[in-house]
C-alpha cells in the first residue's frame, strides 16, 4: 500500500504529492511514469514521476485537477493511501552529453520535466529551461528547476510574470542567440506540436513526452497508440518520449478527445 | 501421460469394478448426450450473467453413466494437464462428487475455469471412445468437470490439495494468468515458497480482464485463486517483474527460481487507413474496460463507447467475446468480420452458436480495407473487401484471396480489432541474456520449459504467442516439474 506522506498546493489546481513507494523510488529513472487508481471504482490514470527519494523510499507526483479522477486524487491528504500504484513504466529518457539542451515545459508539464533537467545537467549539458504557463500562479516548481538549470526563461500568456508570450517565443529567442543541440518538450499536446514545428524549422533534434489516454500502461491494449514516422507506436511501452518531428500531433490531438 | 500402472491400479479399485458391472456397455452407449441448460437468448442479451447454467445433479448423473471407463482412456491424452478423467467421472456416477472434485485438483489448479473455457471438442472430448470408435457425440467431459467443481464450491467443503512439507526455497512467478497459477499450484504442492507478482491491480490475467462475466464469472476465478492462497501461495499485485523489481532485486530477495508467464498481451492491429480513428480499438482495450474496469457500471470512473453499429474484426474466441459484449452494451447491429469462412474460424463452435443466437451478424469472407470518420474523427463507416478461399496455407487452412473490385461500405460507429496478440515485450526486454525469437516469444526447452537463463522458466502465451488457457496451464505444470528437477540437481 502506498501512503501519502506529503501534500503541497503548487497552485489552486495543482497539487504535489510525496508518496511512499520504495521499490519504484529505487528503480525509476527520468522519464518514467506510474499508473494510479483512486478508489475501488476508479480508473487507471498515468502520471509522470517528478522526483524520487530512494533513501526515504518516496516518489513525487504533481497532479493537476482537470476532471473526475484527478479531482479525487487532489482530495486525498497526508496519511491517506493510494488504492493502486504501479510502475515505473515506459522507457527512461535517453540522457547523454548533447551540449546545449533547451527544456521547454508548459503548465503541469514542468513537473515531469524536472527530473530530465536534473539528469541532463548531471550529464554535463548546458541546460536552458523555458517554463510557460497561462498566468503567474500556474508557473510551478520554479525554484526546483533553478537548482539544476543554467538559465531559466519564464513565459506567461498574460505577461503577469516573466516575459509575455508563448513558449515558442522563449525557445526561439534561445535558438537565435546560440547553438541548441537538443530540445525536450513536455506540456499540453498543442504546445508540444508548436514547439516541434518551430524546432523543425531550425533543424534541431526534439524529443516530446506524449500524454495520451491510457488504460493498463503495460502495452496490453493500445489505447495510447500514436503514429510516429508513419508507424503505430504504443506510448506506454515504446515511449512516452518520441522524436517530436515524427509524431502525428493532429491525430494525437483528435484521439485525446475520444471520451469528451 | 500418467503411467499405465497408476491408471490400471486406479481402474482396478473394487468400487470402479463394481460400478462397471451395474450397466451393460450397450445400455451406456445408447444414452443420449446431455444438453447444457442455458439462459434464453432474448433474456441474456440484456444481462452479463452466465449463459450456460450448469448441469443439474440428475443430468450430471445421467451423463456420467455414458462413460465406459475404458481400459485405455484415450481422453486423457487429449487433456493438456492430464486429468484422470474416468476416475472423476466414475466418482460422479457413484455419487461421490467431492471425491470427483478432489480428483480434478490432483492435476488441475482451476477446474471450474477449465470446465467453462476449454475447447473440449478439440481436446479431451475429441479423443473420447464415442468419437473415435462409435461416431457418436463424446461424453460431456467439460460439463461434468464444471459440475464437480461448482458442486464442491457451493457445498462449502472445498478441499485443499495436500502440500509437501515446506522446503523454504523461494520461487517467484511473473504474471497471475493461467500459466502462472498452474505453475504456482504445482510448486506449492511440492513444498516451495511461491510468490506470484502481477502487474495489474487484480489477479487472474486473461481470466479477469479478457474473458467476460457471461462466460466466466469473476467470482469463480476468485474462489480458485483463494484455493491457491490456502495452499500457501502469496500474491503481490501492482508489481512488474523487470520494472518494479529487477533481476538483481529478485536474487537479493532470495528467489532461487523465476517462472515467466507474462502472456501475449500486446494486441495486433492491421495497419490500414483509419485504424487510429476514435471508436476503433483493440479487443484487449474493449474487454479490459468492460471486464477489469467495469466500465458498464455507471458508478465506474472508466468510460466506454456504447456503439450502436459495432464491427468486430476477427474470428477467434476473443472476437466472439467482444461482439457479444457489444450486444449486451446495447449495440443494435453487432457484426463479426472474418476473412475466411465459418469453417476456418478458430473460435469454439459453442461460442459461435451462442453469438448467432444473440443476433450477431456474420460477415465471413470479408476483410476491412479502411475506415472513414466524421468531422470529429469518429469512425463512421468501413470499406470491406469480399474474399474467396484458395489453396491451404502453412497453417493448413485455406488461404483467403480478395475478389478484385468486389467491395462494399458498411456503416459503423465502433470497430473492435481482434486479429491476434503478440508477446508482451516488458519482461523479455528487461532481462539480460534471455533468448527470444524474432516474434518476441521466449525460447524454452520444450520438455522442461527452461530458458537460456538457467534459473528462469517460462510458459503460456509468452512462449507460444496467442494460445489457449489450458495449454498455458499445461506449460505451467511442465515448468514446475522442470524447475523442481533443476533445483534438486543444483541445490
Amino acid at each position: 500500500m502506498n501512503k501519502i506522506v506529503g501534500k503541497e498546493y503548487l497552485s489552486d489546481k495543482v497539487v504535489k504529492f510525496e508518496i511512499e513507494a520504495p521499490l519504484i523510488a529505487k528503480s525509476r529513472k527520468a522519464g518514467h511514469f506510474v499508473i494510479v487508481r483512486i478508489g475501488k471504482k476508479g480508473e487507471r490514470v498515468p502520471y509522470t514521476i517528478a522526483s524520487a527519494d530512494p533513501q526515504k523510499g518516496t516518489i513525487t507526483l504533481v497532479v493537476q485537477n482537470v476532471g473526475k479522477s484527478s479531482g479525487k486524487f487532489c482530495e486525498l491528504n497526508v496519511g491517506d493511501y493510494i488504492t493502486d500504484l504501479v510502475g515505473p513504466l515506459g522507457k527512461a529518457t535517453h540522457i547523454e552529453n548533447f551540449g546545449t539542451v533547451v527544456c521547454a515545459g508548459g503548465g503541469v508539464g514542468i513537473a515531469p520535466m524536472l527530473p530530465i533537467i536534473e539528469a541532463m545537467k548531471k550529464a554535463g549539458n548546458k541546460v536552458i529551461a523555458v517554463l510557460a504557463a497561462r498566468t503567474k500562479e500556474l508557473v510551478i516548481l520554479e525554484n526546483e528547476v533553478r537548482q539544476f538549470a543554467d538559465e531559466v526563461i519564464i513565459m506567461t500568456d498574460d505577461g503577469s510574470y516573466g516575459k509575455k508570450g508563448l513558449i515558442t517565443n522563449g525557445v526561439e529567442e534561445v535558438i537565435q542567440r546560440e547553438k541548441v543541440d537538443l530540445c525536450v518538450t513536455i506540456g499540453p499536446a498543442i504546445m508540444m506540436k508548436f514547439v516541434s514545428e518551430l524546432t523543425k524549422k531550425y533543424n534541431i533534434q526534439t524529443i516530446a513526452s506524449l500524454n495520451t489516454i491510457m488504460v493498463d500502461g503495460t502495452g496490453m491494449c493500445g489505447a495510447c497508440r500514436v503514429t510516429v514516422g508513419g508507424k503505430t507506436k504504443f506510448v506506454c511501452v515504446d515511449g512516452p518520449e518520441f522524436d517530436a518531428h515524427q509524431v502525428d500531433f493532429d491525430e494525437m490531438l483528435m484521439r485525446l478527445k475520444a471520451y469528451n | 501421460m500418467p503411467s499405465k500402472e497408476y491408471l490400471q491400479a486406479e481402474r482396478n479399485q473394487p468400487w470402479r469394478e463394481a460400478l462397471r458391472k451395474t450397466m451393460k456397455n450397450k445400455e451406456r452407449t445408447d444414452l443420449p448426450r446431455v444438453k447444457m441448460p442455458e439462459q434464453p437468448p432474448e433474456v441474456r442479451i440484456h444481462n452479463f450473467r452466465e449463459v450456460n447454467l450448469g448441469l443439474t445433479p440428475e443430468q450430471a448423473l445421467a451423463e456420467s453413466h455414458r462413460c465406459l471407463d475404458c481400459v485405455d482412456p484415450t481422453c486423457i491424452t487429449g487433456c493438456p494437464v492430464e486429468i484422470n478423467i474416468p476416475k472423476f467421472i466414475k466418482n460422479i456416477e457413484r455419487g461421490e462428487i467431492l471425491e470427483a472434485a478432489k480428483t480434478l485438483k490432483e492435476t488441475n489448479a482451476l477446474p471450474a475455469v477449465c470446465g467453462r473455457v476449454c475447447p473440449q471438442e478439440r481436446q479431451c472430448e475429441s479423443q473420447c471412445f464415442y468419437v473415435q470408435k462409435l461416431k457418436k457425440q463424446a461424453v460431456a467431459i467439460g460439463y461434468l468437470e464444471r459440475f464437480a467443481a461448482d458442486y464442491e464450491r457451493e457445498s462449502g467443503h472445498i478441499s485443499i490439495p495436500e502440500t509437501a512439507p515446506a522446503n523454504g526455497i523461494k520461487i517467484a512467478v511473473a504474471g497471475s494468468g493461467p500459466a502462472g497459477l498452474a505453475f504456482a499450484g504445482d510448486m506449492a504442492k511440492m513444498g516451495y515458497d511461491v510468490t506470484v507478482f502481477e502487474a495489474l491491480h487484480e489477479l487472474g490475467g486473461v481470466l479477469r480482464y479478457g474473458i467476460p462475466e457471461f462466460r466466466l464469472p469473476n467470482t469463480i476465478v476468485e474462489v480458485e485463486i483463494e484455493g491457491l492462497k490456502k495452499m500457501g501461495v502469496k500474491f503481490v499485485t501492482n508489481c512488474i517483474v523487470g520494472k518494479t523489481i529487477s533481476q538483481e532485486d529478485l536474487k537479493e530477495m532470495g528467489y532461487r527460481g523465476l517462472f515467466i508467464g507474462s502472456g501475449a498481451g500486446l494486441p495486433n492491429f492491421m495497419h490500414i487507413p483509419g485504424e487510429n480513428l476514435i471508436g476503433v480499438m483493440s479487443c484487449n482495450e474493449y474487454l479490459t474496460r468492460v471486464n477489469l474496469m467495469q466500465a458498464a457500471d455507471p458508478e465506474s470512473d472508466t468510460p466506454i463507447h456504447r456503439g450502436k453499429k459495432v464491427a468486430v474484426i476477427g474470428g477467434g474466441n476473443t472476437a466472439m467475446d467482444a461482439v457479444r459484449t457489444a450486444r449486451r452494451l446495447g449495440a443494435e447491429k453487432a457484426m463479426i468480420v472474418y476473412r475466411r469462412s465459418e469453417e476456418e474460424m478458430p473460435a469454439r463452435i459453442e461460442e459461435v452458436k451462442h453469438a448467432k443466437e444473440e443476433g450477431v451478424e456474420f460477415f465471413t469472407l470479408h476483410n476491412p480495407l479502411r475506415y472513414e470518420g466524421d468531422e470529429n474523427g469518429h469512425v463512421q463507416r468501413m470499406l470491406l473487401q469480399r474474399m474467396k478461399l484458395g489453396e491451404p496455407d502453412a497453417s493448413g487452412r485455406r488461404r483467403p484471396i480478395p475478389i478484385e473490385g468486389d467491395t462494399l461500405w458498411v456503416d459503423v460507429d465502433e470497430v473492435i480489432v481482434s486479429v491476434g496478440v503478440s508477446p508482451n515485450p516488458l519482461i523479455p526486454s528487461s532481462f539480460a541474456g534471455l533468448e527470444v525469437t524474432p516474434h518476441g516469444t521466449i525460447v524454452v526447452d520444450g520438455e522442461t520449459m527452461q530458458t537460456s537463463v538457467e534459473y528462469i522458466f517460462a510458459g503460456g502465451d509468452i512462449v507460444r504467442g496467442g494460445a489457449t488457457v489450458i495449454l498455458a496451464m499445461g506449460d505451467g505444470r511442465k515448468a514446475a516439474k522442470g524447475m523442481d528437477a533443476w533445483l534438486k540437481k543444483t541445490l
Side-chain angles (χ1 to χ4, degrees):
Chain A
M1 284 293 266
N2 307 90
K3 190 179 176 181
I4 296 173
V5 294
K7 180 182 184 181
E8 183 191 334
Y9 280 88
L10 299 182
S11 77
D12 257 9
K13 295 231 167 216
V14 179
V15 183
K16 182 170 107 173
F17 287 104
E18 194 182 356
I19 301 159
E20 279 181 359
L23 293 172
I24 301 173
K26 189 177 147 200
S27 52
R28 75 97 209 187
K29 291 194 174 77
H32 279 147
F33 68 95
V34 292
I35 293 267
V36 170
R37 193 172 76 111
I38 309 291
K40 286 292 167 205
K41 303 265 180 181
E43 63 181 327
R44 296 169 66 92
V45 181
Y47 293 99
T48 308
I49 303 168
S51 65
D53 185 337
Q55 273 76 46
K56 226 171 136 190
T58 60
I59 60 169
T60 301
L61 301 182
V62 174
V63 183
Q64 183 172 26
N65 187 345
V66 289
K68 194 173 181 182
S69 293
S70 54
K72 275 163 78 178
F73 198 160
C74 290
E75 279 169 26
L76 296 181
N77 289 304
V78 170
D80 289 342
Y81 287 86
I82 309 273
T83 314
D84 294 291
L85 175 71
V86 64
L89 294 161
K91 285 189 176 145
T93 310
H94 174 66
I95 304 284
E96 63 171 69
N97 191 341
F98 294 94
T100 299
V101 179
V102 169
C103 291
V108 77
I110 299 168
M113 186 65 94
L114 183 63
I116 297 172
I117 293 172
E118 180 182 350
M120 286 294 181
K121 183 64 201 169
K122 285 183 176 159
N125 291 286
K126 177 181 175 187
V127 178
I128 302 168
V130 182
L131 310 183
R134 280 205 320 279
T135 176
K136 184 183 178 186
E137 290 68 43
L138 297 173
V139 177
I140 60 169
L141 302 168
E142 183 190 340
N143 292 334
E144 287 85 345
V145 169
R146 282 193 190 281
Q147 276 182 24
F148 304 108
D150 296 276
E151 185 188 347
V152 178
I153 297 170
I154 292 171
M155 308 293 301
T156 51
D157 290 9
D158 60 358
S160 54
Y161 187 51
K163 291 177 188 168
K164 184 172 157 72
L166 299 172
I167 196 159
T168 40
N169 302 125
V171 174
E172 191 157 25
E173 180 198 311
V174 179
I175 294 171
Q176 284 177 348
R177 178 182 85 194
E178 61 186 288
K179 183 176 175 285
V180 174
D181 298 292
L182 178 74
C183 175
V184 183
T185 181
I186 310 181
I190 187 77
M191 185 211 92
M192 292 191 285
K193 177 188 166 177
F194 286 120
V195 170
S196 171
E197 281 174 5
L198 172 76
T199 58
K200 197 170 185 175
K201 208 169 74 187
Y202 291 96
N203 207 15
I204 295 168
Q205 188 195 344
T206 300
I207 302 294
S209 177
L210 306 186
N211 43 5
T212 52
I213 291 174
M214 283 190 192
V215 183
D216 61 283
T218 62
M220 231 176 65
C221 81
C224 63
R225 65 194 189 278
V226 287
T227 303
V228 181
K231 291 203 171 100
T232 294
K233 298 277 178 185
F234 290 6
V235 170
C236 69
V237 289
D238 301 316
E241 292 171 11
F242 293 96
D243 177 349
H245 298 159
Q246 300 292 322
V247 173
D248 184 342
F249 279 105
D250 292 330
E251 180 190 87
M252 179 183 157
L253 282 159
M254 174 195 88
R255 285 182 58 79
L256 280 169
K257 291 187 209 135
Y259 292 96
N260 285 3
Chain B
M1 187 69 184
S3 76
K4 266 209 167 100
E5 294 72 34
Y6 158 80
L7 289 175
Q8 207 58 64
E10 287 286 352
R11 188 174 183 271
N12 289 342
Q13 295 227 352
W15 70 268
R16 293 262 292 262
E17 283 181 5
L19 215 51
R20 282 196 292 277
K21 288 180 190 141
T22 58
M23 260 175 110
K24 290 205 179 75
N25 275 358
K26 180 78 177 71
E27 289 174 78
R28 293 184 188 272
T29 56
D30 281 347
L31 293 169
R33 178 176 155 124
V34 71
K35 283 205 170 51
M36 176 64 87
E38 46 192 52
Q39 277 197 72
E42 60 278 13
V43 175
R44 70 193 193 224
I45 57 163
H46 299 293
N47 67 56
F48 274 89
R49 292 194 303 274
E50 245 192 312
V51 169
N52 283 342
L53 300 172
L55 301 183
T56 63
E58 296 73 31
Q59 286 176 313
L61 181 65
E63 185 65 21
S64 71
H65 283 119
R66 292 182 73 224
C67 170
L68 297 172
D69 200 2
C70 301
V71 183
D72 177 18
T74 45
C75 52
I76 300 178
T77 63
C79 174
V81 298
E82 299 167 337
I83 289 172
N84 189 341
I85 291 166
K87 182 180 170 189
F88 103 79
I89 294 182
K90 290 301 116 179
N91 265 308
I92 294 177
E93 187 179 334
R94 70 164 169 162
E96 295 287 345
I97 321 285
L98 293 175
E99 273 304 309
K102 233 184 212 169
T103 305
L104 291 169
K105 284 196 191 160
E106 283 170 14
T107 54
N108 186 347
L110 316 166
V113 171
C114 292
R116 285 171 165 82
V117 304
C118 274
Q120 288 100 5
E121 68 272 20
R122 282 188 221 144
Q123 297 177 331
C124 54
E125 293 181 15
S126 75
Q127 302 302 317
C128 174
F129 184 77
Y130 280 73
V131 175
Q132 293 290 324
K133 293 283 172 345
L134 304 179
K135 305 291 169 231
K136 282 187 175 182
Q137 281 189 299
V139 173
I141 301 167
Y143 292 170
L144 290 173
E145 178 180 23
R146 171 186 162 147
F147 171 78
D150 285 357
Y151 180 94
E152 186 197 41
R153 186 181 62 255
E154 284 156 17
S155 75
H157 300 286
I158 297 182
S159 70
I160 304 303
E162 274 178 43
T163 50
N167 61 21
I169 300 169
K170 285 171 79 175
I171 303 297
V173 180
S176 68
L181 294 178
F183 173 86
D186 271 19
M187 290 302 272
K189 265 188 220 168
M190 292 188 269
Y192 290 95
D193 178 3
V194 184
T195 305
V196 180
F197 297 97
E198 166 58 47
L200 290 174
H201 60 271
E202 299 272 13
L203 300 168
V206 74
L207 309 176
R208 178 73 198 211
Y209 73 74
I211 305 174
E213 276 296 285
F214 56 81
R215 217 151 64 79
L216 178 64
N218 284 335
T219 50
I220 304 282
V221 182
E222 278 157 21
V223 169
E224 304 222 299
I225 289 173
E226 249 346 278
L228 289 171
K229 285 184 186 166
K230 287 186 183 136
M231 287 166 66
V233 178
K234 287 168 245 171
F235 290 91
V236 180
T237 52
N238 294 316
C239 185
I240 305 174
V241 173
K243 289 268 178 193
T244 315
I245 49 176
S246 67
Q247 196 163 358
E248 294 71 40
D249 291 335
L250 282 173
K251 283 210 167 140
E252 225 170 84
M253 291 155 93
Y255 289 100
R256 307 298 294 267
L258 167 67
F259 174 75
I260 301 176
S262 55
L266 204 69
N268 295 341
F269 285 93
M270 293 172 67
H271 306 291
I272 57 176
E275 213 171 20
N276 288 348
L277 287 165
I278 299 170
V280 183
M281 68 187 96
S282 74
C283 52
N284 270 9
E285 177 180 352
Y286 187 67
L287 292 172
T288 298
R289 284 180 185 272
V290 179
N291 298 331
L292 179 72
M293 306 310 295
Q294 293 157 45
D297 175 350
E299 309 234 306
S300 169
D301 292 347
T302 302
I304 185 98
H305 289 296
R306 288 176 183 259
K308 290 290 167 212
K309 287 171 273 189
V310 182
V312 177
I313 317 300
N317 283 319
T318 317
M320 296 306 143
D321 287 346
V323 81
R324 296 172 68 200
T325 297
R327 194 82 175 94
R328 282 160 175 76
L329 287 178
E332 285 149 16
K333 201 172 160 70
M335 300 162 264
I336 284 284
V337 177
Y338 181 57
R339 63 196 181 126
R340 292 182 158 105
S341 75
E342 192 175 321
E343 205 176 312
E344 289 82 25
M345 270 193 185
R348 291 188 65 191
I349 293 162
E350 184 179 41
E351 307 309 330
V352 174
K353 174 179 148 268
H354 279 158
K356 283 186 175 167
E357 288 168 358
E358 290 165 13
V360 171
E361 295 170 49
F362 280 66
F363 283 82
T364 50
L365 290 167
H366 282 77
N367 202 30
L369 292 176
R370 62 190 165 104
Y371 307 103
E372 282 186 2
D374 60 17
E375 65 283 5
N376 299 317
H378 199 289
V379 67
Q380 205 169 23
R381 57 181 196 153
M382 60 180 176
L383 183 63
L384 298 183
Q385 165 76 61
R386 285 207 178 88
M387 316 288 280
K388 61 182 178 194
L389 290 179
E391 294 302 308
D393 63 12
S395 74
R397 295 180 299 177
R398 293 180 63 191
R399 189 196 306 272
I401 303 168
I403 305 172
E404 276 318 309
D406 194 356
T407 60
L408 72 157
W409 283 101
V410 178
D411 285 349
V412 284
D413 57 3
E414 188 164 35
V415 174
I416 297 155
V417 183
S418 183
V419 295
V421 284
S422 298
N424 194 302
L426 278 187
I427 291 187
S429 67
S430 46
F431 276 77
L434 202 57
E435 194 188 330
V436 293
T437 67
H439 303 290
T441 51
I442 297 177
V443 178
V444 294
D445 176 297
E447 284 306 307
T448 62
M449 310 307 280
Q450 191 167 27
T451 70
S452 56
V453 179
E454 239 187 356
Y455 78 101
I456 302 179
F457 291 65
D461 283 1
I462 192 69
V463 165
R464 297 172 174 273
T468 64
V469 167
I470 192 72
L471 286 173
M473 294 184 61
D475 285 355
R477 297 207 68 213
K478 260 205 257 177
K481 219 166 145 187
M483 189 186 282
D484 176 58
W486 176 76
L487 284 165
K488 286 208 168 101
K489 210 168 61 198
T490 49
L491 288 180

